Amino acid sequence: MKIRQSLLMKYLLIITGALILWPLVLPIYYIPKEFLDKEIKQKIMYLDTEKLEQMWHREASKLNGATPEKINKRLQTLKEQYSMATMFWVDADGNTKLMSPNQINIPNQWTLQDSVEFMKKSVGTGPFTIVSYIGGDSNQGFMVFQVPRSLTEPLSASAIDDMYLLVFAFLVFALFLFISWLFFSKIRRRLVQLQTAMTEAGETGIPDKVAISKIDEIGQLGQAFNHMIDELTKSRKREQEEEALRKQLIANISHDLRTPLTTIRGHAYSLQKESLSPKGEESLHLIESKVDMLSQLLDNLLSYTLLSAGKYTIKQKETDMMRLIRASLVSWYPVFEKEGFEVDVRWPEKGLVWNVDPQWFTRIIDNLFQNVVRHAKSGRYVGVHTEEKEGRNVVVIEDRGPGMNNGSHEKGAGIGLSIVSLMLKEMNLDWTIESSSSGTRIYLHEKN
């Protein structure tokens, strides 16, 4: 990025311009006024008193040996140039000569006392006075230049005395504020546009790129954002490709493993008709158990793949949950009885109706009961009931096993619980698990 394109450099230029402009407010205000106002133009001539003194002494020096007529003529010329000044000269005999304009307090014949009195009046608050010997010689007389002392004082710049100056200064300050506001409003608008682009997702779930108009700090931020979008798009594409490959692989594996499982199950059934030793019968029973477990695992794996791909058909309707759970318990009761479980069922007096897919919810209950049989067998207890929790009716499935945090020799990859979570989410239901060493409680409920 070039330095001149930097926002910092642009704002520094605004500040620098303001610092340069502000000291020029008074000159900018007064210079046009000085050119237009004749009185001010004349007043400027008397501001530099040192220059006036040099001028008057120089003129007196030039008149060395001049005749009275020449002196009078020169003073008249100077009077035309310095019209607001009082000029006169006194000859060697103390006689007052040409006086322009005439003043009654100037004596016609000067004495020593008159000279002292004149000098006293010219000091302090009196008029600004310059006295110079003609030709630099006291024997030729002297010439006097006087102007009111107010003419030699600097021009007043008081804002109280000059309302126009106050308005002018305010306009200059307002101009600086407007330029600063314009600068930052453009920055804010661009930042808001960038913020909107970051928070609004496109059709793919990823924000769209932003248009880059200027290569400054905000433009660089936009470029970094666009680069991030490119990386996210590539990552999302790779993820989708990997997900599709994984689902296809799982579907193929599930399909390919069913054939050998069916063959193993067929041979195990044939072996049941043969005469086997007690150890052989135990091994055969173990083979059948593991084949059933592997078959169930494949079913879960295929179901999870279809669910995550959104290809598992769902048909929700108003369903009596107690009747649905009771039917599932009936099918599982022989298994619980065989394993020595105590089955504790408590139903409410009034029915509980939820909007669910009956087949999906039956699959959820089956997976939960299967986990109880596999992992909580030591507790020999399964309970199903309803209760009110946080102002809503929930279905509770509990056991008295070692808890989910303790290991189990039949513990798998958790696909069954993943299927439960996906199915509940699709049916707008939710669940909560409380597990400890004394057992596990699973709460199923509708979302708020």
Side-chain angles (χ1 to χ4, degrees):
M1 180 184 66
K2 297 180 180 179
I3 296 179
R4 61 184 179 87
Q5 295 176 328
S6 170
L7 292 174
L8 177 61
M9 182 58 64
K10 291 179 180 178
Y11 190 66
L12 286 178
L13 289 176
I14 294 176
I15 297 296
T16 303
L19 293 175
I20 295 175
L21 179 61
W22 189 250
L24 298 178
V25 169
L26 289 178
I28 292 174
Y29 176 76
Y30 275 113
I31 286 175
K33 189 174 181 181
E34 291 166 1
F35 281 111
L36 297 176
D37 195 325
K38 184 178 179 180
E39 182 179 349
I40 293 179
K41 289 176 64 178
Q42 291 179 347
K43 185 175 180 180
I44 293 176
M45 299 172 61
Y46 307 101
L47 293 178
D48 192 346
T49 56
E50 183 177 353
K51 187 176 181 181
L52 285 176
E53 290 180 359
Q54 293 175 356
M55 179 274 299
W56 193 247
H57 292 316
R58 185 171 58 252
E59 293 295 333
S61 178
K62 290 179 181 179
L63 296 174
N64 183 28
T67 63
E69 292 77 11
K70 185 176 180 181
I71 296 174
N72 290 340
K73 186 177 180 180
R74 183 55 185 164
L75 289 183
Q76 289 173 351
T77 303
L78 292 174
K79 175 61 178 176
E80 292 176 0
Q81 184 177 355
Y82 298 93
S83 60
M84 301 180 73
T86 298
M87 304 178 189
F88 64 90
W89 69 284
V90 179
D91 62 14
D93 297 327
N95 298 314
T96 301
K97 298 300 182 178
L98 176 68
M99 182 184 300
S100 179
N102 292 325
Q103 294 190 18
I104 60 175
N105 58 346
I106 300 298
N108 292 325
Q109 180 67 42
W110 288 73
T111 64
L112 179 59
Q113 183 179 355
D114 293 331
S115 300
V116 173
E117 187 68 23
F118 177 78
M119 296 306 297
K120 287 175 61 178
K121 291 180 179 179
S122 302
V123 176
T125 58
F128 175 73
T129 304
I130 307 174
V131 179
S132 182
Y133 289 116
I134 297 174
D137 184 4
S138 61
N139 293 324
Q140 298 185 46
F142 60 90
M143 49 193 283
V144 179
F145 180 97
Q146 281 188 325
V147 292
R149 195 165 293 275
S150 59
L151 293 179
T152 62
E153 295 176 352
L155 295 172
S156 173
S158 174
I160 298 177
D161 297 334
D162 195 341
M163 289 300 297
Y164 293 106
L165 175 60
L166 182 62
V167 173
F168 181 73
F170 175 78
L171 290 177
V172 173
F173 183 68
L175 177 64
F176 169 72
L177 289 182
F178 175 74
I179 295 175
S180 297
W181 173 83
L182 195 64
F183 177 78
F184 285 106
S185 65
K186 290 182 179 180
I187 293 178
R188 181 182 179 278
R189 184 166 61 251
R190 293 173 63 193
L191 289 175
V192 169
Q193 291 175 350
L194 187 58
Q195 179 188 17
T196 302
M198 289 180 175
T199 54
E200 292 183 357
E203 296 180 356
T204 61
I206 298 176
D208 296 325
K209 290 184 177 181
V210 296
I212 307 299
S213 58
K214 298 179 180 179
I215 308 300
D216 50 22
E217 287 84 350
I218 299 178
Q220 289 182 328
L221 181 61
Q223 288 180 334
F225 175 73
N226 288 342
H227 178 70
M228 181 187 69
I229 295 301
D230 289 335
E231 294 300 319
L232 285 175
T233 302
K234 293 178 183 178
S235 177
R236 176 66 61 84
K237 185 177 180 180
R238 287 195 300 268
E239 181 183 350
Q240 291 174 345
E241 292 175 351
E242 293 172 358
E243 181 70 13
L245 180 62
R246 181 180 62 83
K247 292 175 181 178
Q248 185 63 38
L249 180 62
I250 292 175
N252 292 340
I253 291 176
S254 299
H255 180 270
D256 292 343
L257 289 179
R258 289 185 182 277
T259 300
L261 283 178
T262 302
T263 303
I264 293 173
R265 184 178 285 111
H267 283 280
Y269 180 76
S270 300
L271 285 176
Q272 289 179 357
K273 300 178 181 180
E274 301 294 333
S275 177
L276 300 174
S277 65
K279 187 174 181 180
E281 291 180 355
E282 182 180 351
S283 297
L284 181 60
H285 178 71
L286 181 61
I287 290 173
E288 290 179 336
S289 174
K290 295 301 181 181
V291 167
D292 290 339
M293 184 183 300
L294 185 56
S295 179
Q296 182 65 35
L297 180 61
L298 289 175
D299 288 339
N300 285 340
L301 198 58
L302 183 59
S303 298
Y304 179 78
T305 303
L306 294 175
L307 280 170
S308 59
K311 297 181 180 180
Y312 208 101
T313 305
I314 180 172
K315 297 179 180 179
Q316 290 183 249
K317 63 180 181 179
E318 298 294 327
T319 305
D320 185 347
M321 302 305 296
M322 294 301 99
R323 180 178 298 180
L324 188 66
I325 295 174
R326 187 184 297 112
S328 183
L329 269 172
V330 169
S331 64
W332 276 90
Y333 191 81
V335 178
F336 290 140
E337 187 178 28
K338 179 181 178 182
E339 299 293 338
F341 274 78
E342 174 190 352
V343 180
D344 180 18
V345 180
R346 286 169 280 161
W347 305 112
E349 295 181 359
K350 59 179 181 179
L352 181 63
V353 178
W354 287 354
N355 184 29
V356 299
D357 184 318
Q359 292 184 353
W360 279 36
F361 200 84
T362 299
R363 179 68 177 273
I364 290 171
I365 296 299
D366 288 345
N367 280 353
L368 295 178
F369 284 163
Q370 187 177 64
N371 281 344
V372 171
V373 173
R374 287 182 179 177
H375 310 302
K377 189 182 299 184
S378 60
R380 297 291 191 270
Y381 173 85
V382 59
V384 181
H385 61 275
T386 62
E387 65 180 51
E388 186 173 333
K389 185 178 183 181
E390 298 179 357
R392 58 193 173 193
N393 293 321
V394 299
V395 175
V396 183
I397 299 176
E398 61 178 328
D399 62 62
R400 294 174 182 171
M404 290 187 172
N405 295 328
N406 293 323
S408 170
H409 66 281
E410 294 188 359
K411 187 174 182 179
I415 297 179
L417 293 181
S418 299
I419 292 174
V420 171
S421 181
L422 285 174
M423 285 186 165
L424 288 173
K425 182 179 180 181
E426 290 295 325
M427 292 189 294
N428 200 33
L429 301 178
D430 204 352
W431 66 332
T432 306
I433 301 176
E434 295 178 358
S435 184
S436 66
S437 58
S438 59
T440 301
R441 291 170 63 90
I442 298 177
Y443 302 91
L444 307 177
H445 55 84
E446 294 180 299
K447 288 185 178 179
N448 294 331

